């Protein structure tokens, strides 16, 4: 019995994507180091709870990742009726007991005793799995109008739900995941061209009928120097100081401890890339971008090695999520995109975000590890 357990454990470890695990662990460790550095340097509003919470979230997330990796992704796909409603119900509870944070427009957190959780992060994982399952079931019929419309409905439910809660950044993440997964699943060129042609009309409608004045101001301030001067203590404040922090490190930065630092609000999560530039300079920023790109590339390569369409779509969904998070977050700091409250994957402070990311990586590891039939665990595939 003991030999069998040891053999099973050895086979399990052997088929893990160790490179992906090491890359993700490196990014998370780097994030914890940055948070500890901020705390040691007496940054305003950055106390010990941030790096301590991040360590706890990493441990929980890492364990969850290894557990999910051991389960065949086909089995996880089949039990969507368990985790999808749970994630959806938690998100709907935000309308009743949701809490916000100072300086944010959304109510995206639920308090459970001394901690808060962010259901929308867990909803991303559930959406990737359910949408991959839906696309896999539809198969080549994706371009038939009834199936296409149902897929669009599936994709727009979380987008509309999260947008209604005021979290426009996360809604945009869901939209990006939906589009990329649809394209990889085989969406016809006519739908792609139709979607591209509809973009100007959608932008016009959103600008005139959906977006509020503060949403418009966050976009307009990016292109109007006069408005930037007027809003130096308003909507431009965060990006103004973020850019100063980013550039003040020059080539190699002022160091992680005891340097000359520039503070801006939410520097521990949404604007942590500005601190990287401040402390580690241009070299640190390039290294961070390279690390995130390596993680994305490894996940995408795993999608190409998947043995079936379902596995490929799961990997593509996770790849899309990490990629768009990285682009939006860094774009905010560079002031080429409006502030929309998106954390930098694995690096920014955020317990639920970290656990959610590692759950998603666990799904990728499951696809990678179950490429061959003989390696299935907890699930036997029928001939």
């Amino acid at each position: 019995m003991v030999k069998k357990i040891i053999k099973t454990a050895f086979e399990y470890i052997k088929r893990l994507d160790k490179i992906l695990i090491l890359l993700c662990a490196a990014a998370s460790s780097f994030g914890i180091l940055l948070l500890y550095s901020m705390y040691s340097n007496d940054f305003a509003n950055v106390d010990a709870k941030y790096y301590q919470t991040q360590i706890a979230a990493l441990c929980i997330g890492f364990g969850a990742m290894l557990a999910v990796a051991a389960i065949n992704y086909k089995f996880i796909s089949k039990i969507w009726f368990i985790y999808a409603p749970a994630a959806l119900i938690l998100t709907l509870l935000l309308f009743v007991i949701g809490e916000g944070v100072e300086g944010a427009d959304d109510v995206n957190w639920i308090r459970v005793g001394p901690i808060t959780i962010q259901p929308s992060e867990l909803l991303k994982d559930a959406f990737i799995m359910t949408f991959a399952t839906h696309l896999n079931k539809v198969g080549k019929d994706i371009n038939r109008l009834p199936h296409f419309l149902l897929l669009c409905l599936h994709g727009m439910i979380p987008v509309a739900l999260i947008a209604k809660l005021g979290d426009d950044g996360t809604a945009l993440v869901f939209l990006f995941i939906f589009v990329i997964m649809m394209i990889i699943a085989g969406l016809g060129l006519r739908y792609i061209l139709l979607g591209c042609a509809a973009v100007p009309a959608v932008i016009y409608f959103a600008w005139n009928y959906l977006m509020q004045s503060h949403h418009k101001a966050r976009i307009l301030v990016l292109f109007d120097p006069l408005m930037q001067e007027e809003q130096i203590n308003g909507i431009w404040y965060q990006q103004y100081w973020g850019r100063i922090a980013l550039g003040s490190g020059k080539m190699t930065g002022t160091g992680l401890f005891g340097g000359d630092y520039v503070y801006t609000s939410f520097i521990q999560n949404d604007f942590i890339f500005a601190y990287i530039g401040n402390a580690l300079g241009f070299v640190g920023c390039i290294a961070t971008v390279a690390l995130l790109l390596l993680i994305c590339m490894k996940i995408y390569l795993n999608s190409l090695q998947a043995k079936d369409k379902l596995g490929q779509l799961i990997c593509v969904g996770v790849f899309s999520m990490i990629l768009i998070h990285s682009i939006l977050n860094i774009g905010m700091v560079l002031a080429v995109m409006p502030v929309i409250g998106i954390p930098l994957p694995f690096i920014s402070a955020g317990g639920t975000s970290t656990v959610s990311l590692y759950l998603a990586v666990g799904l990728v590891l499951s696809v990678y590890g179950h490429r061959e039939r003989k390696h299935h665990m907890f699930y036997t595939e029928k001939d």
Side-chain angles (χ1 to χ4, degrees):
M1 180 67 178
V2 176
K3 289 183 178 180
K4 186 177 181 181
I5 293 174
I6 294 174
K7 183 181 179 181
T8 302
F10 179 77
E11 289 180 352
Y12 166 69
I13 294 172
K14 185 178 179 181
R15 63 187 173 82
L16 287 174
D17 186 349
K18 300 172 189 63
I19 294 176
L20 178 59
I21 294 174
L22 287 173
L23 288 171
C24 295
S28 291
S29 300
F30 178 53
I32 292 170
L33 177 62
L34 291 172
L35 295 172
Y36 180 74
S37 169
M38 292 181 198
Y39 165 69
S40 298
N41 292 317
D42 295 323
F43 266 51
N45 301 320
V46 182
D47 53 34
K49 72 177 182 180
Y50 284 105
Y51 78 83
Q52 291 170 354
T53 299
Q54 204 69 3
I55 292 172
L58 175 59
C59 293
I60 295 170
F62 213 82
M65 174 191 72
L66 294 176
V68 170
I71 306 172
N72 192 297
Y73 62 93
K74 290 187 176 181
F75 177 74
I76 300 173
S77 172
K78 286 187 174 182
I79 59 170
W80 63 268
F81 55 86
I82 296 177
Y83 54 81
L88 189 59
I89 289 170
L90 279 173
T91 304
L92 289 171
L93 283 174
L94 290 169
F95 288 100
V96 182
I97 58 174
E99 295 184 3
V101 295
E102 186 178 353
D105 302 324
D106 54 321
V107 285
N108 208 20
W109 291 265
I110 293 177
R111 181 166 295 280
V112 182
I115 66 171
T116 56
I117 61 173
Q118 198 171 358
S120 60
E121 296 296 329
L122 301 175
L123 187 63
K124 291 174 190 172
D125 295 339
F127 173 71
I128 288 171
M129 278 304 305
T130 57
F131 199 57
T133 301
H134 191 169
L135 286 167
N136 184 63
K137 186 176 181 179
V138 168
K140 294 180 180 180
D141 291 330
I142 183 175
N143 293 305
R144 292 180 59 189
L145 187 60
H147 290 293
F148 172 76
L149 293 176
L150 283 174
L151 287 166
C152 288
L153 177 63
H154 187 162
M156 291 306 104
I157 287 175
V159 173
L161 184 62
I162 299 300
K164 184 66 176 177
L165 287 163
D167 191 354
D168 301 309
T170 301
L172 191 59
V173 170
F174 275 104
L175 181 62
F176 185 82
I177 295 171
F178 163 76
V179 171
I180 298 301
M181 290 182 72
M182 286 283 281
I183 292 173
I184 296 299
L187 184 65
L189 183 60
R190 66 180 182 275
Y191 287 116
I192 296 174
L193 293 176
L194 183 63
C196 292
V199 167
V202 171
I203 292 175
Y204 176 84
F205 179 81
W207 184 268
N208 289 283
Y209 301 103
L210 296 179
M211 296 177 68
Q212 299 178 24
S213 58
H214 65 278
H215 294 140
K216 297 178 182 179
R218 287 180 181 178
I219 297 173
L220 291 174
V221 75
L222 299 175
F223 310 100
D224 189 342
L226 181 60
M227 188 177 181
Q228 291 172 7
E229 291 182 10
E230 293 174 349
Q231 293 292 329
I232 195 70
N233 292 314
I235 57 172
W236 185 240
Y237 174 85
Q238 197 173 13
Q239 288 179 304
Y240 173 76
W241 287 106
R243 289 206 301 180
I244 290 178
L246 183 69
S248 62
K250 299 182 180 178
M251 184 58 68
T252 58
T254 59
L256 288 170
F257 301 97
D260 185 17
Y261 305 107
V262 178
Y263 177 80
T264 189
S265 54
F266 296 100
I267 199 166
Q268 72 275 15
N269 39 45
D270 295 350
F271 271 69
I272 200 167
F273 193 74
Y275 184 67
I276 295 172
N278 195 164
L280 300 173
F282 179 76
V283 173
C285 290
I286 292 299
T288 302
V289 171
L291 179 57
L292 292 171
L293 282 175
L294 284 172
I295 291 172
C296 289
M297 287 172 61
K298 191 66 181 74
I299 293 172
Y300 187 75
L301 287 174
N302 287 352
S303 77
L304 300 178
Q305 297 174 13
K307 71 173 185 177
D308 56 20
K309 197 69 173 179
L310 176 62
Q312 180 189 27
L313 290 168
I314 291 170
C315 291
V316 166
V318 178
F319 159 82
S320 304
M321 178 176 69
I322 296 174
L323 180 64
I324 191 60
H325 262 268
S326 302
I327 292 172
L328 292 176
N329 179 274
I330 294 173
M332 285 192 304
V333 178
L334 295 177
V336 296
M337 292 183 181
V339 176
I340 49 178
I342 292 294
L344 193 61
F346 301 104
I347 298 173
S348 291
T352 311
S353 174
T354 299
V355 173
S356 170
L357 276 168
Y358 276 96
L359 282 171
V361 173
L363 295 173
V364 176
L365 293 177
S366 176
V367 173
Y368 180 87
H370 293 91
R371 291 169 297 168
E372 300 178 17
R373 187 174 182 273
K374 65 179 181 179
H375 289 316
H376 289 178
M377 293 178 67
F378 308 120
Y379 172 80
T380 302
E381 185 176 341
K382 296 179 180 179
D383 294 325

